[in-house]
Amino acid sequence: MNRFMKVLVAGLGAATLCLSAISGAQADGKLQEVLARGKLIVGTGSTNPPWHFQDDKGELVGFDIDIAHILAKGLFNDPSKVEFVTQSSDARIPNITTGQVDITCQAMTVTAPRAQQVAFTIPYYREGVGLLLPKGGKYADYNALKSAGSSVTVAVLQNVYAEDMVHQALPDAKVDQYDSFDLMYQALNSGRSDAAATDLSSLRWFMKKNPDKYVDAGYAWNPQTYSCAVKLGDADWLNFVNTALREAMTGVDFPDYKKSFETWFGVTPPAPTPGFPTEMR
Protein backbone atom coordinates (compact mmCIF):
# COMPACT_ATOMS: atom_id res chain seq x y z
CA MET A 1 0.00 0.00 0.00
CA ASN A 2 1.53 3.33 -1.06
CA ARG A 3 1.83 6.32 1.22
CA PHE A 4 -1.21 8.08 -0.29
CA MET A 5 -3.46 5.09 0.31
CA LYS A 6 -2.22 4.73 3.86
CA VAL A 7 -3.09 8.38 4.57
CA LEU A 8 -6.51 7.97 2.92
CA VAL A 9 -7.33 4.84 4.92
CA ALA A 10 -6.19 6.48 8.12
CA GLY A 11 -8.34 9.51 7.36
CA LEU A 12 -11.39 7.39 6.62
CA GLY A 13 -10.86 5.48 9.83
CA ALA A 14 -10.66 8.67 11.85
CA ALA A 15 -13.81 10.00 10.17
CA THR A 16 -15.64 6.75 10.96
CA LEU A 17 -14.62 6.96 14.61
CA CYS A 18 -15.73 10.59 14.73
CA LEU A 19 -19.13 9.77 13.23
CA SER A 20 -19.53 6.85 15.62
CA ALA A 21 -18.76 9.12 18.55
CA ILE A 22 -21.31 11.68 17.35
CA SER A 23 -23.91 8.94 16.80
CA GLY A 24 -23.21 7.54 20.26
CA ALA A 25 -23.51 10.96 21.84
CA GLN A 26 -26.89 11.48 20.13
CA ALA A 27 -28.09 8.07 21.24
CA ASP A 28 -27.00 8.83 24.79
CA GLY A 29 -28.79 12.22 24.99
CA LYS A 30 -31.35 13.09 27.64
CA LEU A 31 -34.34 12.38 25.40
CA GLN A 32 -33.21 8.79 24.78
CA GLU A 33 -32.26 8.41 28.44
CA VAL A 34 -35.74 9.44 29.60
CA LEU A 35 -37.49 7.25 27.05
CA ALA A 36 -35.38 4.25 28.04
CA ARG A 37 -36.02 4.88 31.74
CA GLY A 38 -39.77 5.00 31.21
CA LYS A 39 -40.48 8.03 33.39
CA LEU A 40 -39.69 11.73 33.58
CA ILE A 41 -37.92 13.12 36.66
CA VAL A 42 -39.06 16.66 37.40
CA GLY A 43 -37.72 19.07 39.99
CA THR A 44 -40.39 21.27 41.56
CA GLY A 45 -41.60 22.77 44.82
CA SER A 46 -44.37 21.88 47.24
CA THR A 47 -45.31 25.09 49.08
CA ASN A 48 -46.34 27.67 46.49
CA PRO A 49 -49.98 27.53 45.34
CA PRO A 50 -51.21 27.65 42.64
CA TRP A 51 -47.89 26.48 41.16
CA HIS A 52 -46.94 23.48 43.28
CA PHE A 53 -48.41 22.43 46.63
CA GLN A 54 -49.88 19.46 48.45
CA ASP A 55 -53.64 18.92 48.38
CA ASP A 56 -55.76 17.45 51.18
CA LYS A 57 -54.56 13.97 50.21
CA GLY A 58 -50.91 14.98 50.41
CA GLU A 59 -50.48 14.78 46.62
CA LEU A 60 -48.60 17.37 44.61
CA VAL A 61 -50.89 19.56 42.52
CA GLY A 62 -50.67 22.89 40.75
CA PHE A 63 -49.93 24.44 37.38
CA ASP A 64 -46.27 23.35 37.34
CA ILE A 65 -47.37 19.82 38.19
CA ASP A 66 -49.81 19.83 35.28
CA ILE A 67 -47.07 21.06 32.94
CA ALA A 68 -44.97 18.06 33.98
CA HIS A 69 -47.87 15.72 33.25
CA ILE A 70 -48.26 17.31 29.80
CA LEU A 71 -44.58 16.57 29.10
CA ALA A 72 -44.97 12.97 30.29
CA LYS A 73 -47.97 12.55 28.01
CA GLY A 74 -45.85 13.71 25.09
CA LEU A 75 -43.08 11.28 26.00
CA PHE A 76 -45.05 8.16 26.87
CA ASN A 77 -48.68 8.89 25.97
CA ASP A 78 -49.20 8.52 29.72
CA PRO A 79 -49.29 11.69 31.88
CA SER A 80 -48.76 9.69 35.07
CA LYS A 81 -45.20 8.63 34.22
CA VAL A 82 -43.56 11.37 36.28
CA GLU A 83 -41.38 11.25 39.37
CA PHE A 84 -41.32 14.54 41.26
CA VAL A 85 -38.29 15.66 43.24
CA THR A 86 -39.33 18.37 45.68
CA GLN A 87 -36.61 20.97 46.01
CA SER A 88 -36.02 24.41 47.46
CA SER A 89 -35.85 27.33 45.07
CA ASP A 90 -32.07 27.60 45.47
CA ALA A 91 -31.71 23.97 44.30
CA ARG A 92 -33.46 24.54 40.98
CA ILE A 93 -30.27 25.18 39.01
CA PRO A 94 -27.86 22.85 40.88
CA ASN A 95 -30.19 19.87 40.50
CA ILE A 96 -30.28 20.47 36.74
CA THR A 97 -26.55 20.94 36.28
CA THR A 98 -25.69 17.85 38.37
CA GLY A 99 -28.27 15.64 36.64
CA GLN A 100 -30.44 15.03 39.71
CA VAL A 101 -33.52 15.89 37.63
CA ASP A 102 -34.30 15.89 33.91
CA ILE A 103 -36.05 19.24 34.04
CA THR A 104 -37.08 21.88 36.55
CA CYS A 105 -40.59 23.32 36.40
CA GLN A 106 -40.92 25.56 39.44
CA ALA A 107 -42.27 29.04 38.70
CA MET A 108 -38.75 29.96 37.60
CA THR A 109 -38.16 33.50 36.33
CA VAL A 110 -36.04 33.73 33.20
CA THR A 111 -33.00 35.99 33.54
CA ALA A 112 -29.91 36.44 31.38
CA PRO A 113 -27.50 35.40 34.18
CA ARG A 114 -29.49 32.19 34.81
CA ALA A 115 -29.45 31.44 31.08
CA GLN A 116 -25.67 31.10 31.35
CA GLN A 117 -26.18 28.14 33.71
CA VAL A 118 -29.25 26.37 32.30
CA ALA A 119 -31.19 26.30 29.03
CA PHE A 120 -34.65 27.82 29.37
CA THR A 121 -37.62 26.42 27.47
CA ILE A 122 -40.17 28.60 25.72
CA PRO A 123 -42.36 30.49 28.25
CA TYR A 124 -45.45 28.81 29.61
CA TYR A 125 -46.64 31.76 31.74
CA ARG A 126 -46.06 35.51 32.00
CA GLU A 127 -46.12 36.57 35.64
CA GLY A 128 -46.74 40.09 36.91
CA VAL A 129 -47.90 42.03 39.96
CA GLY A 130 -51.58 42.84 40.50
CA LEU A 131 -53.73 44.60 43.08
CA LEU A 132 -56.31 42.65 45.07
CA LEU A 133 -59.29 44.61 46.39
CA PRO A 134 -62.09 43.68 48.77
CA LYS A 135 -65.33 43.27 46.86
CA GLY A 136 -67.63 46.26 47.48
CA GLY A 137 -64.79 48.12 49.18
CA LYS A 138 -63.90 51.81 49.19
CA TYR A 139 -62.07 51.67 45.86
CA ALA A 140 -63.61 49.98 42.84
CA ASP A 141 -60.56 49.64 40.60
CA TYR A 142 -57.03 50.76 39.77
CA ASN A 143 -58.12 54.17 38.49
CA ALA A 144 -59.88 54.90 41.78
CA LEU A 145 -56.80 53.83 43.73
CA LYS A 146 -54.50 56.03 41.67
CA SER A 147 -56.82 59.03 41.91
CA ALA A 148 -56.91 58.73 45.71
CA GLY A 149 -53.15 59.27 45.88
CA SER A 150 -51.68 59.24 49.39
CA SER A 151 -55.04 58.27 50.94
CA VAL A 152 -54.46 54.69 49.76
CA THR A 153 -52.56 52.10 51.81
CA VAL A 154 -51.22 49.02 50.03
CA ALA A 155 -50.19 45.80 51.80
CA VAL A 156 -47.28 43.90 50.27
CA LEU A 157 -44.99 41.02 51.18
CA GLN A 158 -41.80 42.31 52.80
CA ASN A 159 -38.96 42.75 50.33
CA VAL A 160 -36.11 45.17 49.78
CA TYR A 161 -37.78 46.25 46.52
CA ALA A 162 -41.39 46.17 47.76
CA GLU A 163 -41.95 49.90 48.21
CA ASP A 164 -40.41 50.83 44.86
CA MET A 165 -42.45 48.10 43.18
CA VAL A 166 -45.75 49.40 44.56
CA HIS A 167 -44.85 52.98 43.67
CA GLN A 168 -44.35 51.98 40.03
CA ALA A 169 -48.13 51.52 39.90
CA LEU A 170 -49.30 53.87 42.67
CA PRO A 171 -46.64 56.58 43.13
CA ASP A 172 -48.28 58.29 46.11
CA ALA A 173 -49.67 55.30 48.03
CA LYS A 174 -48.59 54.39 51.55
CA VAL A 175 -46.92 50.96 51.67
CA ASP A 176 -47.21 48.53 54.59
CA GLN A 177 -44.92 45.50 54.41
CA TYR A 178 -45.70 42.14 56.03
CA ASP A 179 -43.48 39.09 56.52
CA SER A 180 -46.12 36.56 55.43
CA PHE A 181 -48.99 36.34 52.95
CA ASP A 182 -51.41 35.55 55.79
CA LEU A 183 -50.61 38.83 57.55
CA MET A 184 -50.87 40.72 54.27
CA TYR A 185 -54.36 39.31 53.59
CA GLN A 186 -55.38 39.95 57.21
CA ALA A 187 -54.49 43.61 56.74
CA LEU A 188 -56.70 43.73 53.64
CA ASN A 189 -59.58 41.90 55.33
CA SER A 190 -59.48 44.13 58.42
CA GLY A 191 -59.42 47.36 56.43
CA ARG A 192 -55.93 48.37 57.57
CA SER A 193 -54.98 48.23 53.89
CA ASP A 194 -57.07 49.25 50.90
CA ALA A 195 -55.36 46.86 48.47
CA ALA A 196 -52.82 44.04 48.46
CA ALA A 197 -50.04 43.94 45.87
CA THR A 198 -49.17 40.36 44.98
CA ASP A 199 -48.17 38.09 42.11
CA LEU A 200 -50.89 38.04 39.49
CA SER A 201 -51.03 34.24 39.62
CA SER A 202 -51.57 34.33 43.41
CA LEU A 203 -54.21 37.03 42.98
CA ARG A 204 -56.10 34.92 40.46
CA TRP A 205 -55.84 31.81 42.63
CA PHE A 206 -57.04 33.70 45.70
CA MET A 207 -59.99 35.17 43.78
CA LYS A 208 -60.92 31.75 42.42
CA LYS A 209 -61.03 30.36 45.96
CA ASN A 210 -62.98 33.38 47.23
CA PRO A 211 -65.12 34.57 44.30
CA ASP A 212 -67.53 36.59 46.45
CA LYS A 213 -64.91 38.30 48.58
CA TYR A 214 -62.28 39.88 46.31
CA VAL A 215 -61.86 41.58 42.95
CA ASP A 216 -58.93 42.38 40.68
CA ALA A 217 -58.19 46.11 40.41
CA GLY A 218 -57.60 45.57 36.70
CA TYR A 219 -53.97 46.61 36.38
CA ALA A 220 -50.81 44.50 36.21
CA TRP A 221 -47.14 45.46 35.94
CA ASN A 222 -43.58 44.21 36.53
CA PRO A 223 -43.73 41.35 33.95
CA GLN A 224 -41.60 38.23 34.46
CA THR A 225 -41.30 35.21 32.19
CA TYR A 226 -41.73 31.72 33.65
CA SER A 227 -40.08 28.79 31.85
CA CYS A 228 -38.88 25.31 32.66
CA ALA A 229 -35.13 24.72 32.64
CA VAL A 230 -32.93 21.90 31.32
CA LYS A 231 -29.21 21.26 31.22
CA LEU A 232 -27.15 23.20 28.71
CA GLY A 233 -25.87 21.50 25.58
CA ASP A 234 -28.60 18.99 24.68
CA ALA A 235 -30.47 20.45 21.70
CA ASP A 236 -32.66 17.37 21.10
CA TRP A 237 -33.99 17.38 24.66
CA LEU A 238 -34.65 21.12 24.65
CA ASN A 239 -36.35 20.86 21.26
CA PHE A 240 -38.63 18.08 22.48
CA VAL A 241 -39.70 20.02 25.58
CA ASN A 242 -40.27 23.16 23.54
CA THR A 243 -42.37 21.21 21.04
CA ALA A 244 -44.50 19.66 23.78
CA LEU A 245 -45.06 23.03 25.47
CA ARG A 246 -45.81 24.81 22.21
CA GLU A 247 -48.38 22.24 21.13
CA ALA A 248 -49.99 22.39 24.58
CA MET A 249 -50.43 26.15 24.24
CA THR A 250 -51.19 26.37 20.52
CA GLY A 251 -51.94 22.92 19.10
CA VAL A 252 -53.23 19.41 19.66
CA ASP A 253 -52.81 19.40 23.45
CA PHE A 254 -54.43 22.78 24.04
CA PRO A 255 -57.39 21.21 25.92
CA ASP A 256 -54.97 19.97 28.63
CA TYR A 257 -53.30 23.38 28.99
CA LYS A 258 -56.66 25.19 28.94
CA LYS A 259 -58.13 22.97 31.66
CA SER A 260 -55.11 23.51 33.92
CA PHE A 261 -55.05 27.28 33.31
CA GLU A 262 -58.73 27.56 34.20
CA THR A 263 -58.33 25.34 37.26
CA TRP A 264 -55.52 27.32 38.87
CA PHE A 265 -56.04 30.87 37.60
CA GLY A 266 -59.79 31.01 36.95
CA VAL A 267 -59.13 32.46 33.50
CA THR A 268 -59.57 30.91 30.06
CA PRO A 269 -56.46 31.36 27.89
CA PRO A 270 -56.98 32.47 24.28
CA ALA A 271 -57.62 29.52 22.01
CA PRO A 272 -55.29 28.97 19.04
CA THR A 273 -56.93 30.06 15.77
CA PRO A 274 -56.86 27.65 12.83
CA GLY A 275 -55.15 29.00 9.75
CA PHE A 276 -51.99 31.07 9.80
CA PRO A 277 -49.96 30.39 12.99
CA THR A 278 -50.25 33.86 14.52
CA GLU A 279 -47.53 33.09 17.10
CA MET A 280 -45.04 33.26 14.22
CA ARG A 281 -45.71 36.95 13.54
Side-chain angles (χ1 to χ4, degrees):
M1 183 181 294
N2 61 36
R3 183 178 178 184
F4 173 78
M5 290 299 296
K6 288 181 180 179
V7 171
L8 179 60
V9 170
L12 289 172
T16 300
L17 288 173
C18 183
L19 288 172
S20 297
I22 292 173
S23 177
Q26 291 174 339
D28 294 338
K30 177 60 71 173
L31 177 57
Q32 297 305 319
E33 176 189 332
V34 173
L35 290 172
R37 185 197 301 135
K39 66 179 178 181
L40 176 67
I41 301 176
V42 178
T44 194
S46 60
T47 59
N48 183 18
W51 294 97
H52 38 258
F53 64 105
Q54 292 183 327
D55 64 10
D56 294 338
K57 299 178 182 178
E59 297 178 353
L60 277 177
V61 295
F63 193 63
D64 280 332
I65 307 306
D66 289 347
I67 290 295
H69 288 304
I70 287 172
L71 296 177
K73 179 182 177 183
L75 286 161
F76 309 108
N77 198 31
D78 184 347
S80 70
K81 291 191 173 182
V82 184
E83 176 185 328
F84 291 104
V85 174
T86 55
Q87 57 191 17
S88 61
S89 59
D90 59 3
R92 291 178 297 188
I93 289 177
N95 280 355
I96 281 290
T97 58
T98 59
Q100 299 300 307
V101 299
D102 301 320
I103 187 169
T104 283
C105 297
Q106 195 173 347
M108 191 172 181
T109 301
V110 176
T111 68
R114 285 176 174 174
Q116 299 174 42
Q117 303 175 72
V118 294
F120 283 110
T121 67
I122 60 174
Y124 62 93
Y125 189 82
R126 179 67 35 75
E127 186 62 280
V129 178
L131 293 163
L132 187 70
L133 298 174
K135 197 166 189 176
K138 184 177 180 181
Y139 302 102
D141 54 24
Y142 170 73
N143 289 332
L145 289 169
K146 192 169 184 179
S147 297
S150 60
S151 299
V152 169
T153 299
V154 178
V156 65
L157 193 66
Q158 192 171 38
N159 187 288
V160 65
Y161 305 111
E163 189 161 348
D164 288 341
M165 180 191 71
V166 172
H167 284 159
Q168 289 174 22
L170 299 170
D172 301 317
K174 299 183 183 71
V175 180
D176 285 346
Q177 300 189 42
Y178 297 90
D179 60 10
S180 74
F181 284 110
D182 288 344
L183 292 176
M184 182 181 73
Y185 292 132
Q186 284 177 22
L188 182 65
N189 293 337
S190 67
R192 296 195 307 275
S193 295
D194 301 302
T198 187
D199 289 343
L200 194 60
S201 59
S202 299
L203 180 151
R204 288 172 171 170
W205 167 244
F206 209 63
M207 284 178 54
K208 190 174 188 300
K209 291 180 64 180
N210 304 275
D212 299 322
K213 195 171 182 179
Y214 302 102
V215 295
D216 182 353
Y219 181 77
W221 73 103
N222 199 32
Q224 300 179 51
T225 298
Y226 283 177
S227 293
C228 297
V230 299
K231 194 171 184 178
L232 288 169
D234 193 331
D236 287 343
W237 179 232
L238 179 61
N239 181 63
F240 165 77
V241 177
N242 282 341
T243 299
L245 291 176
R246 185 187 67 235
E247 295 313 304
M249 292 184 284
T250 65
V252 294
D253 291 317
F254 179 72
D256 296 333
Y257 184 86
K258 175 177 178 285
K259 179 181 178 181
S260 179
F261 207 95
E262 291 174 340
T263 297
W264 304 115
F265 306 128
V267 177
T268 298
T273 303
F276 182 79
T278 54
E279 66 272 13
M280 300 302 293
R281 287 191 183 277

